Amino acid sequence: MSPRRRNCAVDLSPAAIAWAEERARAVGAGIRFHRGDAFDLTTDGLGGPYALIYDSGCFHHLPPHRRISYLALLERALAPGGHFALTCFASGRMGSELPDAALYRQARLHGGLAYSPGSLRWIFSDLTEVELRRMHDEPPESPHFGEPFLWTALFRCAA
Ligand SMILES: C[S@@+](CC[C@H](N)C(=O)[O-])C[C@H]1O[C@@H](n2cnc3c(N)ncnc32)[C@H](O)[C@@H]1O
């Protein structure tokens, strides 16, 4: 199946979707927004495959066991040869560094999980790493987003 040409975006939060719609309108970006669970994208024909999937800040909010369904989602939704980009909390800078078992014992995610380059490489080891680095720090007046407490990563799926 060839990749979808349409740009789609999903978030659970109506406020996040409303804000994103406003920003997309302001720059004339044609994006189909969907409020819902990213793990349930078969609805409304949003299942892909996509040439590019970008997760901006969702992965680090998921409990550890959801990494399995997250990988299954990528496998389903990413086109052969497609790219997966990720922005997530950088260990040592932001997020909980508790072991997975402690998160379950405490039944809390502590605002999000920190990831090390090693843990990201291990989790996404079925993909080829193109780049994995700390995000550039962008000043408030910059038109670009950039926070140094985040990793920014790009992986490629086998063709
Ligand atoms: C740190 S915010 C990032 C928001 C936005 N993507 C950005 O970069 O500014 C994390 C977002 O992940 C969304 N989220 C968490 N779990 C989700 C899920 N299962 N499906 C869709 N969105 C989810 C939350 O609603 C929240 O808006």
Side-chain angles (χ1 to χ4, degrees), residues 10-14 16-17 19 23 34 36-40 54-62 66 87 89 145:
V10 62
D11 199 292
L12 275 179
S13 152
I17 292 291
W19 186 51
R23 299 196 70 185
H34 176 76
D37 188 342
F39 292 95
D40 189 23
Y54 175 42
D55 175 344
S56 173
C58 177
F59 177 70
H60 55 215
H61 290 302
L62 301 175
R66 296 232 73 178
T87 292
F89 290 159
F145 174 77

Side-chain angles (χ1 to χ4, degrees), residues 95-120:
S96 167
E97 309 217 8
L98 286 172
D100 291 352
L103 298 170
Y104 286 109
R105 266 196 302 274
Q106 297 179 11
R108 292 181 54 206
L109 291 181
H110 298 276
L113 310 186
Y115 285 92
S116 66
S119 59
L120 291 176

Side-chain angles (χ1 to χ4, degrees), residues 24-139:
R25 247 191 322 272
V27 297
I31 299 172
R32 178 180 174 195
F33 289 95
H34 176 76
R35 197 217 62 79
D37 188 342
F39 292 95
D40 189 23
L41 284 183
T42 46
T43 51
D44 295 336
L46 282 168
Y50 294 94
L52 172 69
I53 294 178
Y54 175 42
D55 175 344
S56 173
C58 177
F59 177 70
H60 55 215
H61 290 302
L62 301 175
H65 66 273
R66 296 232 73 178
R67 289 175 204 142
I68 295 167
S69 32
Y70 189 95
L71 290 173
L73 171 64
L74 280 184
E75 199 177 318
R76 274 200 315 275
L78 201 53
H83 286 82
F84 164 59
L86 175 70
T87 292
C88 72
F89 290 159
S91 53
R93 294 301 305 270
M94 181 73 87
S96 167
E97 309 217 8
L98 286 172
D100 291 352
L103 298 170
Y104 286 109
R105 266 196 302 274
Q106 297 179 11
R108 292 181 54 206
L109 291 181
H110 298 276
L113 310 186
Y115 285 92
S116 66
S119 59
L120 291 176
R121 287 185 177 119
W122 184 76
I123 292 166
F124 298 109
S125 57
D126 282 350
L127 303 173
T128 302
E129 178 183 330
V130 179
E131 188 164 0
L132 171 53
R133 62 166 170 81
R134 197 67 70 75
M135 195 179 267
H136 298 307
D137 191 6
E138 292 288 336

